[in-house]
Amino acid sequence: MIRSVIALALVTLFFYECKPTIKKELPLPKLGRFEIVKNGDGVDTVFHQIEDFKFVDQDSNWVTNETFSKGIYIADFFFTTCPDICPKMKAQMLRVYDSIGSEPSLMFLSHTIDPKHDSVAVLKDFSERLGVDGAKWKFVTGDKEVIYKLGQTSYMASIADQGAAGLTHSGRFFLIDKNRHIRGAYNGTDAEEVNVMIGDIKKLLNEN
Amino acid sequence: MKISQLFKLPFIIIGVLIFISSCDYSPEKVKFKRYRVAGERLFEQHCANCHQKNGEGLRGLYPPLAGSDYLKNEFEKSICIIKNGTNDTLTVNGKVYNLPMPSIDLGNIEVAEIVTFVYNSWGNEKGLIDVKEIESLLKSCE
């Protein structure tokens, strides 16, 4: 009896040891619709990209796709007076900023969805209160229609102005690479998902 | 009674006394505990987004409640703010805050529970703040 138990244990141990331990790191996916196009004899995949944009930041500088072309960035949508999810998102984003914000090729882009209230001066005050570096973390405003359209079509974020019921928006953080591809989308109110994002940012920084 | 049993008697009496004193049947205390526990849950649900779970606030955006001189010195005003929100600016520990605090749809009993929690956390020990007290205080809010 004892011998068979030992034998069984050894066999189990043997198979257990055989479990493949080398897991290949897969690159982050490119999210969004894509198209297959012909390229000579073969085919190419064209991935969804963030469209051209041009907004003004808290220091009255223009911010365009070029601003981020040398590295990667995290984007989100918010407004300064938002009562419910933005405070949570900002607390989480601040955690990201504090942990890996010093990476030179990582930037942050927060679009207001309430440009009527969130003027350049209001955004400036907000970013100063948050205590973040304006060269690193851009708070941008612009034409409301343009911001909403960019949010909906480029980032596939659900944003809506429901009149008296207020503005609603997704609490997502989007991770964008230097070729304008969306490489991740995370629930910005959920610390666990934000931890995953921090891991993905590190991966993406290595890819660049 | 045997003499050895007589020796045990004081111990038994002390034991029973300790037992009784450790259970607290005071209805005030039971109510206080009930308020505070409910208040903590409501705080996490409605307030911690901005003021954070530990009451420390978020940088210059949302003021702290833990160690707040405003909370300590402005009892009536704080209760009005908790019930009605505010669009003003206000100063906490020498720093000026200007974001609006929304009015959260809370019943008076919930306000009393939250207020009891807030005023008995982070070094504050104001004791039970009853819903009746809250109701009369709320009448004087602007």
Side-chain angles (χ1 to χ4, degrees), chain A residues 80-88 90-91 94 98 125-126 129-132, chain B residues 44-46 48-52 58-62 95-100 102:
Chain A
T80 60
T81 56
C82 155
D84 35 64
I85 66 171
C86 317
K88 261 190 177 165
K90 285 291 161 279
L94 214 46
D98 288 341
D125 183 55
F126 190 85
R129 286 176 176 277
L130 212 48
V132 299
Chain B
E44 283 175 13
Q45 202 178 333
H46 297 292
N49 275 2
C50 295
H51 296 289
Q52 308 301 307
L58 188 67
R59 306 274 170 103
L61 295 178
Y62 308 113
K95 267 204 210 162
V96 181
Y97 294 85
N98 63 2
L99 284 179

PDB file of all heavy atoms in Angstrom, chain A residues 80-88 90-91 94 98 125-126 129-132, chain B residues 44-46 48-52 58-62 95-100 102:
ATOM      1  N   THR A  80     -14.050  68.547 -15.167  1.00  0.00           N
ATOM      2  CA  THR A  80     -13.528  68.889 -13.838  1.00  0.00           C
ATOM      3  C   THR A  80     -14.585  68.807 -12.743  1.00  0.00           C
ATOM      4  O   THR A  80     -14.259  68.524 -11.598  1.00  0.00           O
ATOM      5  CB  THR A  80     -12.926  70.317 -13.815  1.00  0.00           C
ATOM      6  OG1 THR A  80     -13.942  71.245 -14.171  1.00  0.00           O
ATOM      7  CG2 THR A  80     -11.761  70.440 -14.773  1.00  0.00           C
ATOM      8  N   THR A  81     -15.854  69.058 -13.092  1.00  0.00           N
ATOM      9  CA  THR A  81     -16.872  69.091 -12.049  1.00  0.00           C
ATOM     10  C   THR A  81     -17.652  67.782 -11.952  1.00  0.00           C
ATOM     11  O   THR A  81     -18.704  67.721 -11.335  1.00  0.00           O
ATOM     12  CB  THR A  81     -17.873  70.231 -12.315  1.00  0.00           C
ATOM     13  OG1 THR A  81     -18.417  70.038 -13.624  1.00  0.00           O
ATOM     14  CG2 THR A  81     -17.201  71.580 -12.244  1.00  0.00           C
ATOM     15  N   CYS A  82     -17.135  66.750 -12.575  1.00  0.00           N
ATOM     16  CA  CYS A  82     -17.840  65.468 -12.619  1.00  0.00           C
ATOM     17  C   CYS A  82     -17.964  64.872 -11.219  1.00  0.00           C
ATOM     18  O   CYS A  82     -16.981  64.765 -10.498  1.00  0.00           O
ATOM     19  CB  CYS A  82     -17.074  64.535 -13.549  1.00  0.00           C
ATOM     20  SG  CYS A  82     -17.269  62.799 -13.288  1.00  0.00           S
ATOM     21  N   PRO A  83     -19.180  64.526 -10.831  1.00  0.00           N
ATOM     22  CA  PRO A  83     -19.401  64.101  -9.447  1.00  0.00           C
ATOM     23  C   PRO A  83     -19.113  62.632  -9.151  1.00  0.00           C
ATOM     24  O   PRO A  83     -18.845  62.300  -8.007  1.00  0.00           O
ATOM     25  CB  PRO A  83     -20.900  64.375  -9.244  1.00  0.00           C
ATOM     26  CG  PRO A  83     -21.490  64.220 -10.607  1.00  0.00           C
ATOM     27  CD  PRO A  83     -20.435  64.643 -11.578  1.00  0.00           C
ATOM     28  N   ASP A  84     -19.202  61.762 -10.151  1.00  0.00           N
ATOM     29  CA  ASP A  84     -19.185  60.354  -9.774  1.00  0.00           C
ATOM     30  C   ASP A  84     -17.904  59.589 -10.127  1.00  0.00           C
ATOM     31  O   ASP A  84     -17.105  59.298  -9.251  1.00  0.00           O
ATOM     32  CB  ASP A  84     -20.412  59.630 -10.340  1.00  0.00           C
ATOM     33  CG  ASP A  84     -20.784  60.189 -11.705  1.00  0.00           C
ATOM     34  OD1 ASP A  84     -19.976  60.043 -12.627  1.00  0.00           O
ATOM     35  OD2 ASP A  84     -21.877  60.791 -11.832  1.00  0.00           O
ATOM     36  N   ILE A  85     -17.697  59.301 -11.412  1.00  0.00           N
ATOM     37  CA  ILE A  85     -16.592  58.383 -11.701  1.00  0.00           C
ATOM     38  C   ILE A  85     -15.244  59.068 -11.896  1.00  0.00           C
ATOM     39  O   ILE A  85     -14.216  58.477 -11.636  1.00  0.00           O
ATOM     40  CB  ILE A  85     -16.888  57.443 -12.893  1.00  0.00           C
ATOM     41  CG1 ILE A  85     -16.994  58.224 -14.183  1.00  0.00           C
ATOM     42  CG2 ILE A  85     -18.105  56.594 -12.644  1.00  0.00           C
ATOM     43  CD1 ILE A  85     -17.062  57.307 -15.391  1.00  0.00           C
ATOM     44  N   CYS A  86     -15.258  60.358 -12.332  1.00  0.00           N
ATOM     45  CA  CYS A  86     -13.960  60.998 -12.601  1.00  0.00           C
ATOM     46  C   CYS A  86     -13.044  61.059 -11.389  1.00  0.00           C
ATOM     47  O   CYS A  86     -11.837  60.853 -11.533  1.00  0.00           O
ATOM     48  CB  CYS A  86     -14.113  62.395 -13.155  1.00  0.00           C
ATOM     49  SG  CYS A  86     -15.368  62.545 -14.388  1.00  0.00           S
ATOM     50  N   PRO A  87     -13.598  61.364 -10.203  1.00  0.00           N
ATOM     51  CA  PRO A  87     -12.668  61.400  -9.061  1.00  0.00           C
ATOM     52  C   PRO A  87     -11.936  60.073  -8.885  1.00  0.00           C
ATOM     53  O   PRO A  87     -10.728  60.056  -8.623  1.00  0.00           O
ATOM     54  CB  PRO A  87     -13.579  61.685  -7.868  1.00  0.00           C
ATOM     55  CG  PRO A  87     -14.768  62.363  -8.443  1.00  0.00           C
ATOM     56  CD  PRO A  87     -14.957  61.778  -9.804  1.00  0.00           C
ATOM     57  N   LYS A  88     -12.671  58.997  -9.107  1.00  0.00           N
ATOM     58  CA  LYS A  88     -12.044  57.669  -9.005  1.00  0.00           C
ATOM     59  C   LYS A  88     -10.990  57.486 -10.081  1.00  0.00           C
ATOM     60  O   LYS A  88      -9.905  56.970  -9.835  1.00  0.00           O
ATOM     61  CB  LYS A  88     -13.113  56.578  -9.207  1.00  0.00           C
ATOM     62  CG  LYS A  88     -13.635  55.986  -7.940  1.00  0.00           C
ATOM     63  CD  LYS A  88     -14.490  54.779  -8.299  1.00  0.00           C
ATOM     64  CE  LYS A  88     -14.996  54.083  -7.059  1.00  0.00           C
ATOM     65  NZ  LYS A  88     -16.081  53.153  -7.369  1.00  0.00           N
ATOM     66  N   LYS A  90      -9.369  59.832 -11.665  1.00  0.00           N
ATOM     67  CA  LYS A  90      -8.212  60.694 -11.461  1.00  0.00           C
ATOM     68  C   LYS A  90      -7.308  60.122 -10.366  1.00  0.00           C
ATOM     69  O   LYS A  90      -6.081  60.195 -10.467  1.00  0.00           O
ATOM     70  CB  LYS A  90      -8.652  62.129 -11.129  1.00  0.00           C
ATOM     71  CG  LYS A  90      -9.158  62.882 -12.350  1.00  0.00           C
ATOM     72  CD  LYS A  90      -8.046  63.195 -13.358  1.00  0.00           C
ATOM     73  CE  LYS A  90      -8.570  63.515 -14.752  1.00  0.00           C
ATOM     74  NZ  LYS A  90      -8.924  62.343 -15.576  1.00  0.00           N
ATOM     75  N   ALA A  91      -7.926  59.537  -9.341  1.00  0.00           N
ATOM     76  CA  ALA A  91      -7.114  58.936  -8.271  1.00  0.00           C
ATOM     77  C   ALA A  91      -6.290  57.777  -8.833  1.00  0.00           C
ATOM     78  O   ALA A  91      -5.110  57.611  -8.509  1.00  0.00           O
ATOM     79  CB  ALA A  91      -8.005  58.462  -7.126  1.00  0.00           C
ATOM     80  N   LEU A  94      -3.576  59.086 -11.217  1.00  0.00           N
ATOM     81  CA  LEU A  94      -2.514  59.672 -10.404  1.00  0.00           C
ATOM     82  C   LEU A  94      -1.584  58.577  -9.882  1.00  0.00           C
ATOM     83  O   LEU A  94      -0.372  58.764  -9.774  1.00  0.00           O
ATOM     84  CB  LEU A  94      -3.155  60.409  -9.229  1.00  0.00           C
ATOM     85  CG  LEU A  94      -2.512  61.672  -8.707  1.00  0.00           C
ATOM     86  CD1 LEU A  94      -2.121  62.621  -9.809  1.00  0.00           C
ATOM     87  CD2 LEU A  94      -3.454  62.354  -7.720  1.00  0.00           C
ATOM     88  N   ASP A  98       2.256  58.498 -10.607  1.00  0.00           N
ATOM     89  CA  ASP A  98       3.252  58.419  -9.538  1.00  0.00           C
ATOM     90  C   ASP A  98       4.159  57.202  -9.680  1.00  0.00           C
ATOM     91  O   ASP A  98       5.322  57.248  -9.303  1.00  0.00           O
ATOM     92  CB  ASP A  98       2.572  58.390  -8.161  1.00  0.00           C
ATOM     93  CG  ASP A  98       1.986  59.747  -7.800  1.00  0.00           C
ATOM     94  OD1 ASP A  98       2.416  60.749  -8.406  1.00  0.00           O
ATOM     95  OD2 ASP A  98       1.099  59.800  -6.921  1.00  0.00           O
ATOM     96  N   ASP A 125      -5.895  75.369 -13.563  1.00  0.00           N
ATOM     97  CA  ASP A 125      -6.102  75.291 -12.112  1.00  0.00           C
ATOM     98  C   ASP A 125      -6.224  73.826 -11.679  1.00  0.00           C
ATOM     99  O   ASP A 125      -5.622  73.396 -10.695  1.00  0.00           O
ATOM    100  CB  ASP A 125      -7.372  76.066 -11.736  1.00  0.00           C
ATOM    101  CG  ASP A 125      -7.603  76.076 -10.232  1.00  0.00           C
ATOM    102  OD1 ASP A 125      -6.689  76.491  -9.503  1.00  0.00           O
ATOM    103  OD2 ASP A 125      -8.688  75.655  -9.795  1.00  0.00           O
ATOM    104  N   PHE A 126      -6.979  73.060 -12.457  1.00  0.00           N
ATOM    105  CA  PHE A 126      -7.189  71.647 -12.127  1.00  0.00           C
ATOM    106  C   PHE A 126      -5.868  70.881 -12.111  1.00  0.00           C
ATOM    107  O   PHE A 126      -5.579  70.129 -11.187  1.00  0.00           O
ATOM    108  CB  PHE A 126      -8.153  71.037 -13.156  1.00  0.00           C
ATOM    109  CG  PHE A 126      -8.645  69.659 -12.817  1.00  0.00           C
ATOM    110  CD1 PHE A 126      -9.738  69.481 -11.982  1.00  0.00           C
ATOM    111  CD2 PHE A 126      -8.022  68.526 -13.341  1.00  0.00           C
ATOM    112  CE1 PHE A 126     -10.209  68.208 -11.672  1.00  0.00           C
ATOM    113  CE2 PHE A 126      -8.483  67.249 -13.031  1.00  0.00           C
ATOM    114  CZ  PHE A 126      -9.576  67.093 -12.199  1.00  0.00           C
ATOM    115  N   ARG A 129      -3.779  71.847  -9.183  1.00  0.00           N
ATOM    116  CA  ARG A 129      -4.298  71.254  -7.951  1.00  0.00           C
ATOM    117  C   ARG A 129      -3.941  69.775  -7.858  1.00  0.00           C
ATOM    118  O   ARG A 129      -3.714  69.230  -6.787  1.00  0.00           O
ATOM    119  CB  ARG A 129      -5.815  71.436  -7.866  1.00  0.00           C
ATOM    120  CG  ARG A 129      -6.194  72.843  -7.547  1.00  0.00           C
ATOM    121  CD  ARG A 129      -7.680  73.079  -7.559  1.00  0.00           C
ATOM    122  NE  ARG A 129      -7.929  74.449  -7.133  1.00  0.00           N
ATOM    123  CZ  ARG A 129      -7.985  74.831  -5.864  1.00  0.00           C
ATOM    124  NH1 ARG A 129      -7.877  73.954  -4.892  1.00  0.00           N
ATOM    125  NH2 ARG A 129      -8.180  76.103  -5.555  1.00  0.00           N
ATOM    126  N   LEU A 130      -3.929  69.138  -9.029  1.00  0.00           N
ATOM    127  CA  LEU A 130      -3.534  67.734  -9.054  1.00  0.00           C
ATOM    128  C   LEU A 130      -2.031  67.599  -8.830  1.00  0.00           C
ATOM    129  O   LEU A 130      -1.539  66.549  -8.432  1.00  0.00           O
ATOM    130  CB  LEU A 130      -3.940  67.141 -10.412  1.00  0.00           C
ATOM    131  CG  LEU A 130      -4.353  65.691 -10.520  1.00  0.00           C
ATOM    132  CD1 LEU A 130      -5.374  65.310  -9.463  1.00  0.00           C
ATOM    133  CD2 LEU A 130      -4.939  65.415 -11.893  1.00  0.00           C
ATOM    134  N   GLY A 131      -1.326  68.697  -9.105  1.00  0.00           N
ATOM    135  CA  GLY A 131       0.110  68.714  -8.860  1.00  0.00           C
ATOM    136  C   GLY A 131       0.913  67.926  -9.877  1.00  0.00           C
ATOM    137  O   GLY A 131       1.894  67.274  -9.530  1.00  0.00           O
ATOM    138  N   VAL A 132       0.489  67.970 -11.150  1.00  0.00           N
ATOM    139  CA  VAL A 132       1.216  67.205 -12.162  1.00  0.00           C
ATOM    140  C   VAL A 132       1.905  68.129 -13.162  1.00  0.00           C
ATOM    141  O   VAL A 132       1.538  69.294 -13.313  1.00  0.00           O
ATOM    142  CB  VAL A 132       0.284  66.205 -12.900  1.00  0.00           C
ATOM    143  CG1 VAL A 132      -0.302  65.217 -11.908  1.00  0.00           C
ATOM    144  CG2 VAL A 132      -0.814  66.925 -13.669  1.00  0.00           C
TER     145      VAL A 132
ATOM    146  N   GLU B  44     -18.220  55.036   2.268  1.00  0.00           N
ATOM    147  CA  GLU B  44     -17.445  54.403   1.192  1.00  0.00           C
ATOM    148  C   GLU B  44     -18.178  54.457  -0.132  1.00  0.00           C
ATOM    149  O   GLU B  44     -17.583  54.600  -1.183  1.00  0.00           O
ATOM    150  CB  GLU B  44     -17.094  52.959   1.572  1.00  0.00           C
ATOM    151  CG  GLU B  44     -15.954  52.941   2.568  1.00  0.00           C
ATOM    152  CD  GLU B  44     -15.620  51.564   3.099  1.00  0.00           C
ATOM    153  OE1 GLU B  44     -16.110  50.567   2.528  1.00  0.00           O
ATOM    154  OE2 GLU B  44     -14.884  51.499   4.096  1.00  0.00           O
ATOM    155  N   GLN B  45     -19.504  54.372  -0.044  1.00  0.00           N
ATOM    156  CA  GLN B  45     -20.316  54.373  -1.248  1.00  0.00           C
ATOM    157  C   GLN B  45     -20.413  55.768  -1.869  1.00  0.00           C
ATOM    158  O   GLN B  45     -20.323  55.919  -3.082  1.00  0.00           O
ATOM    159  CB  GLN B  45     -21.703  53.895  -0.831  1.00  0.00           C
ATOM    160  CG  GLN B  45     -22.565  53.338  -1.920  1.00  0.00           C
ATOM    161  CD  GLN B  45     -23.885  52.863  -1.298  1.00  0.00           C
ATOM    162  OE1 GLN B  45     -23.943  52.497  -0.115  1.00  0.00           O
ATOM    163  NE2 GLN B  45     -24.936  52.893  -2.071  1.00  0.00           N
ATOM    164  N   HIS B  46     -20.615  56.793  -1.051  1.00  0.00           N
ATOM    165  CA  HIS B  46     -20.957  58.117  -1.579  1.00  0.00           C
ATOM    166  C   HIS B  46     -19.850  59.157  -1.476  1.00  0.00           C
ATOM    167  O   HIS B  46     -19.912  60.172  -2.155  1.00  0.00           O
ATOM    168  CB  HIS B  46     -22.183  58.666  -0.857  1.00  0.00           C
ATOM    169  CG  HIS B  46     -23.422  57.857  -1.050  1.00  0.00           C
ATOM    170  ND1 HIS B  46     -24.068  57.759  -2.262  1.00  0.00           N
ATOM    171  CD2 HIS B  46     -24.119  57.083  -0.195  1.00  0.00           C
ATOM    172  CE1 HIS B  46     -25.129  56.973  -2.141  1.00  0.00           C
ATOM    173  NE2 HIS B  46     -25.171  56.545  -0.888  1.00  0.00           N
ATOM    174  N   ALA B  48     -16.209  58.430  -0.568  1.00  0.00           N
ATOM    175  CA  ALA B  48     -14.803  58.030  -0.657  1.00  0.00           C
ATOM    176  C   ALA B  48     -14.212  58.258  -2.047  1.00  0.00           C
ATOM    177  O   ALA B  48     -13.007  58.406  -2.184  1.00  0.00           O
ATOM    178  CB  ALA B  48     -14.647  56.565  -0.250  1.00  0.00           C
ATOM    179  N   ASN B  49     -15.075  58.328  -3.086  1.00  0.00           N
ATOM    180  CA  ASN B  49     -14.577  58.649  -4.427  1.00  0.00           C
ATOM    181  C   ASN B  49     -13.733  59.900  -4.389  1.00  0.00           C
ATOM    182  O   ASN B  49     -12.698  59.977  -5.026  1.00  0.00           O
ATOM    183  CB  ASN B  49     -15.752  58.940  -5.364  1.00  0.00           C
ATOM    184  CG  ASN B  49     -16.315  57.679  -5.942  1.00  0.00           C
ATOM    185  OD1 ASN B  49     -15.840  56.603  -5.614  1.00  0.00           O
ATOM    186  ND2 ASN B  49     -17.319  57.811  -6.780  1.00  0.00           N
ATOM    187  N   CYS B  50     -14.236  60.897  -3.714  1.00  0.00           N
ATOM    188  CA  CYS B  50     -13.532  62.175  -3.685  1.00  0.00           C
ATOM    189  C   CYS B  50     -12.637  62.297  -2.451  1.00  0.00           C
ATOM    190  O   CYS B  50     -11.471  62.630  -2.563  1.00  0.00           O
ATOM    191  CB  CYS B  50     -14.528  63.328  -3.694  1.00  0.00           C
ATOM    192  SG  CYS B  50     -15.473  63.406  -5.220  1.00  0.00           S
ATOM    193  N   HIS B  51     -13.218  62.059  -1.292  1.00  0.00           N
ATOM    194  CA  HIS B  51     -12.440  62.299  -0.073  1.00  0.00           C
ATOM    195  C   HIS B  51     -11.537  61.115   0.274  1.00  0.00           C
ATOM    196  O   HIS B  51     -10.787  61.185   1.243  1.00  0.00           O
ATOM    197  CB  HIS B  51     -13.378  62.622   1.092  1.00  0.00           C
ATOM    198  CG  HIS B  51     -14.147  63.894   0.875  1.00  0.00           C
ATOM    199  ND1 HIS B  51     -13.549  65.130   0.929  1.00  0.00           N
ATOM    200  CD2 HIS B  51     -15.445  64.125   0.566  1.00  0.00           C
ATOM    201  CE1 HIS B  51     -14.458  66.070   0.680  1.00  0.00           C
ATOM    202  NE2 HIS B  51     -15.618  65.483   0.445  1.00  0.00           N
ATOM    203  N   GLN B  52     -11.617  60.042  -0.482  1.00  0.00           N
ATOM    204  CA  GLN B  52     -10.823  58.820  -0.298  1.00  0.00           C
ATOM    205  C   GLN B  52     -11.249  58.059   0.968  1.00  0.00           C
ATOM    206  O   GLN B  52     -11.785  58.637   1.893  1.00  0.00           O
ATOM    207  CB  GLN B  52      -9.317  59.097  -0.264  1.00  0.00           C
ATOM    208  CG  GLN B  52      -8.801  59.923  -1.439  1.00  0.00           C
ATOM    209  CD  GLN B  52      -9.073  59.274  -2.785  1.00  0.00           C
ATOM    210  OE1 GLN B  52      -8.735  58.126  -3.019  1.00  0.00           O
ATOM    211  NE2 GLN B  52      -9.714  59.988  -3.695  1.00  0.00           N
ATOM    212  N   LEU B  58      -7.987  64.340  -2.041  1.00  0.00           N
ATOM    213  CA  LEU B  58      -7.133  64.090  -3.200  1.00  0.00           C
ATOM    214  C   LEU B  58      -6.433  65.388  -3.596  1.00  0.00           C
ATOM    215  O   LEU B  58      -7.049  66.280  -4.181  1.00  0.00           O
ATOM    216  CB  LEU B  58      -7.956  63.539  -4.359  1.00  0.00           C
ATOM    217  CG  LEU B  58      -7.159  63.046  -5.573  1.00  0.00           C
ATOM    218  CD1 LEU B  58      -6.345  61.813  -5.234  1.00  0.00           C
ATOM    219  CD2 LEU B  58      -8.101  62.751  -6.738  1.00  0.00           C
ATOM    220  N   ARG B  59      -5.178  65.467  -3.227  1.00  0.00           N
ATOM    221  CA  ARG B  59      -4.348  66.635  -3.559  1.00  0.00           C
ATOM    222  C   ARG B  59      -5.115  67.938  -3.320  1.00  0.00           C
ATOM    223  O   ARG B  59      -5.779  68.071  -2.320  1.00  0.00           O
ATOM    224  CB  ARG B  59      -3.886  66.533  -5.030  1.00  0.00           C
ATOM    225  CG  ARG B  59      -3.187  65.232  -5.350  1.00  0.00           C
ATOM    226  CD  ARG B  59      -1.706  65.287  -5.028  1.00  0.00           C
ATOM    227  NE  ARG B  59      -1.078  63.987  -5.102  1.00  0.00           N
ATOM    228  CZ  ARG B  59      -0.319  63.559  -6.105  1.00  0.00           C
ATOM    229  NH1 ARG B  59      -0.093  64.319  -7.142  1.00  0.00           N
ATOM    230  NH2 ARG B  59       0.226  62.363  -6.063  1.00  0.00           N
ATOM    231  N   GLY B  60      -4.980  68.872  -4.259  1.00  0.00           N
ATOM    232  CA  GLY B  60      -5.676  70.149  -4.095  1.00  0.00           C
ATOM    233  C   GLY B  60      -7.101  70.128  -4.609  1.00  0.00           C
ATOM    234  O   GLY B  60      -7.767  71.158  -4.626  1.00  0.00           O
ATOM    235  N   LEU B  61      -7.569  68.958  -5.063  1.00  0.00           N
ATOM    236  CA  LEU B  61      -8.905  68.903  -5.658  1.00  0.00           C
ATOM    237  C   LEU B  61      -9.994  68.717  -4.620  1.00  0.00           C
ATOM    238  O   LEU B  61     -10.955  69.472  -4.558  1.00  0.00           O
ATOM    239  CB  LEU B  61      -8.981  67.750  -6.670  1.00  0.00           C
ATOM    240  CG  LEU B  61      -8.103  67.839  -7.912  1.00  0.00           C
ATOM    241  CD1 LEU B  61      -8.276  66.594  -8.753  1.00  0.00           C
ATOM    242  CD2 LEU B  61      -8.470  69.067  -8.727  1.00  0.00           C
ATOM    243  N   TYR B  62      -9.864  67.675  -3.807  1.00  0.00           N
ATOM    244  CA  TYR B  62     -10.890  67.344  -2.823  1.00  0.00           C
ATOM    245  C   TYR B  62     -10.284  67.437  -1.426  1.00  0.00           C
ATOM    246  O   TYR B  62      -9.282  66.783  -1.144  1.00  0.00           O
ATOM    247  CB  TYR B  62     -11.443  65.943  -3.093  1.00  0.00           C
ATOM    248  CG  TYR B  62     -11.894  65.780  -4.526  1.00  0.00           C
ATOM    249  CD1 TYR B  62     -11.239  64.923  -5.400  1.00  0.00           C
ATOM    250  CD2 TYR B  62     -12.955  66.532  -5.019  1.00  0.00           C
ATOM    251  CE1 TYR B  62     -11.629  64.803  -6.730  1.00  0.00           C
ATOM    252  CE2 TYR B  62     -13.350  66.424  -6.341  1.00  0.00           C
ATOM    253  CZ  TYR B  62     -12.689  65.563  -7.192  1.00  0.00           C
ATOM    254  OH  TYR B  62     -13.073  65.467  -8.495  1.00  0.00           O
ATOM    255  N   LYS B  95      -5.791  75.822   3.028  1.00  0.00           N
ATOM    256  CA  LYS B  95      -5.800  75.702   1.567  1.00  0.00           C
ATOM    257  C   LYS B  95      -7.204  75.969   1.050  1.00  0.00           C
ATOM    258  O   LYS B  95      -8.179  75.495   1.626  1.00  0.00           O
ATOM    259  CB  LYS B  95      -5.412  74.272   1.162  1.00  0.00           C
ATOM    260  CG  LYS B  95      -3.946  74.077   0.898  1.00  0.00           C
ATOM    261  CD  LYS B  95      -3.802  72.870  -0.032  1.00  0.00           C
ATOM    262  CE  LYS B  95      -2.519  72.121   0.181  1.00  0.00           C
ATOM    263  NZ  LYS B  95      -2.582  70.777  -0.395  1.00  0.00           N
ATOM    264  N   VAL B  96      -7.263  76.698  -0.074  1.00  0.00           N
ATOM    265  CA  VAL B  96      -8.571  77.031  -0.640  1.00  0.00           C
ATOM    266  C   VAL B  96      -8.985  75.961  -1.657  1.00  0.00           C
ATOM    267  O   VAL B  96      -8.190  75.595  -2.527  1.00  0.00           O
ATOM    268  CB  VAL B  96      -8.523  78.416  -1.326  1.00  0.00           C
ATOM    269  CG1 VAL B  96      -9.884  78.771  -1.902  1.00  0.00           C
ATOM    270  CG2 VAL B  96      -8.066  79.469  -0.331  1.00  0.00           C
ATOM    271  N   TYR B  97     -10.198  75.482  -1.545  1.00  0.00           N
ATOM    272  CA  TYR B  97     -10.734  74.499  -2.486  1.00  0.00           C
ATOM    273  C   TYR B  97     -11.875  75.141  -3.254  1.00  0.00           C
ATOM    274  O   TYR B  97     -12.599  75.972  -2.710  1.00  0.00           O
ATOM    275  CB  TYR B  97     -11.215  73.253  -1.739  1.00  0.00           C
ATOM    276  CG  TYR B  97     -10.070  72.507  -1.100  1.00  0.00           C
ATOM    277  CD1 TYR B  97      -9.595  72.883   0.159  1.00  0.00           C
ATOM    278  CD2 TYR B  97      -9.427  71.479  -1.766  1.00  0.00           C
ATOM    279  CE1 TYR B  97      -8.521  72.235   0.740  1.00  0.00           C
ATOM    280  CE2 TYR B  97      -8.348  70.827  -1.198  1.00  0.00           C
ATOM    281  CZ  TYR B  97      -7.900  71.200   0.049  1.00  0.00           C
ATOM    282  OH  TYR B  97      -6.834  70.561   0.616  1.00  0.00           O
ATOM    283  N   ASN B  98     -12.035  74.756  -4.529  1.00  0.00           N
ATOM    284  CA  ASN B  98     -13.044  75.449  -5.335  1.00  0.00           C
ATOM    285  C   ASN B  98     -13.935  74.552  -6.184  1.00  0.00           C
ATOM    286  O   ASN B  98     -14.835  75.033  -6.843  1.00  0.00           O
ATOM    287  CB  ASN B  98     -12.355  76.481  -6.241  1.00  0.00           C
ATOM    288  CG  ASN B  98     -11.408  75.821  -7.232  1.00  0.00           C
ATOM    289  OD1 ASN B  98     -11.289  74.600  -7.269  1.00  0.00           O
ATOM    290  ND2 ASN B  98     -10.732  76.622  -8.028  1.00  0.00           N
ATOM    291  N   LEU B  99     -13.697  73.267  -6.203  1.00  0.00           N
ATOM    292  CA  LEU B  99     -14.574  72.409  -7.004  1.00  0.00           C
ATOM    293  C   LEU B  99     -15.921  72.285  -6.296  1.00  0.00           C
ATOM    294  O   LEU B  99     -16.007  72.415  -5.081  1.00  0.00           O
ATOM    295  CB  LEU B  99     -13.958  71.023  -7.172  1.00  0.00           C
ATOM    296  CG  LEU B  99     -12.804  70.904  -8.163  1.00  0.00           C
ATOM    297  CD1 LEU B  99     -12.285  69.485  -8.196  1.00  0.00           C
ATOM    298  CD2 LEU B  99     -13.233  71.333  -9.555  1.00  0.00           C
ATOM    299  N   PRO B 100     -16.968  72.054  -7.075  1.00  0.00           N
ATOM    300  CA  PRO B 100     -18.259  71.854  -6.415  1.00  0.00           C
ATOM    301  C   PRO B 100     -18.318  70.488  -5.739  1.00  0.00           C
ATOM    302  O   PRO B 100     -17.704  69.539  -6.200  1.00  0.00           O
ATOM    303  CB  PRO B 100     -19.262  71.920  -7.566  1.00  0.00           C
ATOM    304  CG  PRO B 100     -18.485  71.511  -8.777  1.00  0.00           C
ATOM    305  CD  PRO B 100     -17.081  71.978  -8.549  1.00  0.00           C
ATOM    306  N   PRO B 102     -21.156  67.783  -5.058  1.00  0.00           N
ATOM    307  CA  PRO B 102     -22.540  67.584  -5.490  1.00  0.00           C
ATOM    308  C   PRO B 102     -23.452  67.299  -4.302  1.00  0.00           C
ATOM    309  O   PRO B 102     -23.004  66.815  -3.271  1.00  0.00           O
ATOM    310  CB  PRO B 102     -22.452  66.356  -6.398  1.00  0.00           C
ATOM    311  CG  PRO B 102     -21.271  65.605  -5.909  1.00  0.00           C
ATOM    312  CD  PRO B 102     -20.307  66.643  -5.410  1.00  0.00           C
TER     313      PRO B 102
END
